[in-house]
Amino acid sequence: MPPATGFLDSLRRALGAREEPGSAPLPGPTGRPLALVYRGPAARPAGCSEAVASLLGSGPWNLDVRYTGPHEEIPLSAETLAHAHVYAQPGGGSLSPAYRRMKKHADEIRAYVHGGGRYLGFCLGGYLAGDDPGFDLLPGDTDQYIVTPGATVDHDRDTVVETRWRGVPRTVFFQDGPHFILDPGADATVLATYPNGTIAALVAPYGAGKVGVVGPHPEATDDWFLDEGLPVHRTQDLGADLVDELLS
């Protein structure tokens, strides 16, 4: 959802800030918490960012959802993150090339979350929350689910995966998503597991902020399934549960 006409121009006036030549526009107060969703070359193919934005915009959180990225009106920077209630990193693409594009923002994202922000990562965004390479936001790390012993998916094509979400069996869209490895004694709330017991979704503190990550795609819309000839499973309620836990 693109910013409303005049929104960015009016922000600095609303904040009493002075517009300097060449300065980047800031997101501004609308009376609702700001949710920034990354959209750009580190979130491919098209549709990943939009599905996350739709999830955040349709929930009960009254969020003002805006896109941020290298080709968006709102650039990703420490300055814009300072206004965000939550920052979402969608899925899409491979970890190494995505991190090469995002590495310049790693310190900004870490500082934002550590200072009280919220990071929401789906699939690739979950991988990026880990370390080597990644933003190093988790009390542990990530790895491919498909290479774990007893994995029920052994390929990187679009498919579905069985999970237990808060103990209830649910089938979720999946494309080579991560599982999450916690350090011994780590403080984290595990929301979902894969059939072999590895972690599919969790929320954990990071400094004064929180990190919510998921390996499958609970935000997936009907067309994701239909385009691959898969039975449709509506799982946005699981995505909403993740966001609820993150924002609580």
Side-chain angles (χ1 to χ4, degrees), residues 75-87:
L76 179 57
S77 67
E79 192 175 23
T80 52
L81 286 168
H83 294 270
H85 186 56
V86 58
Y87 168 75

Side-chain angles (χ1 to χ4, degrees), residues 176-237:
D176 196 14
H179 73 106
F180 303 99
I181 307 159
L182 291 175
D183 294 333
D187 180 10
T189 299
V190 175
L191 299 180
T193 57
Y194 296 106
N196 64 358
T198 55
I199 299 172
L202 65 81
V203 174
Y206 181 78
K210 293 172 76 174
V211 180
V213 287
V214 59
H217 286 277
E219 81 283 11
T221 52
D222 290 3
D223 59 298
W224 290 31
F225 297 91
L226 296 172
D227 288 349
E228 299 300 324
L230 298 167
V232 173
H233 296 271
R234 294 191 172 94
T235 54
Q236 283 82 7
D237 62 308

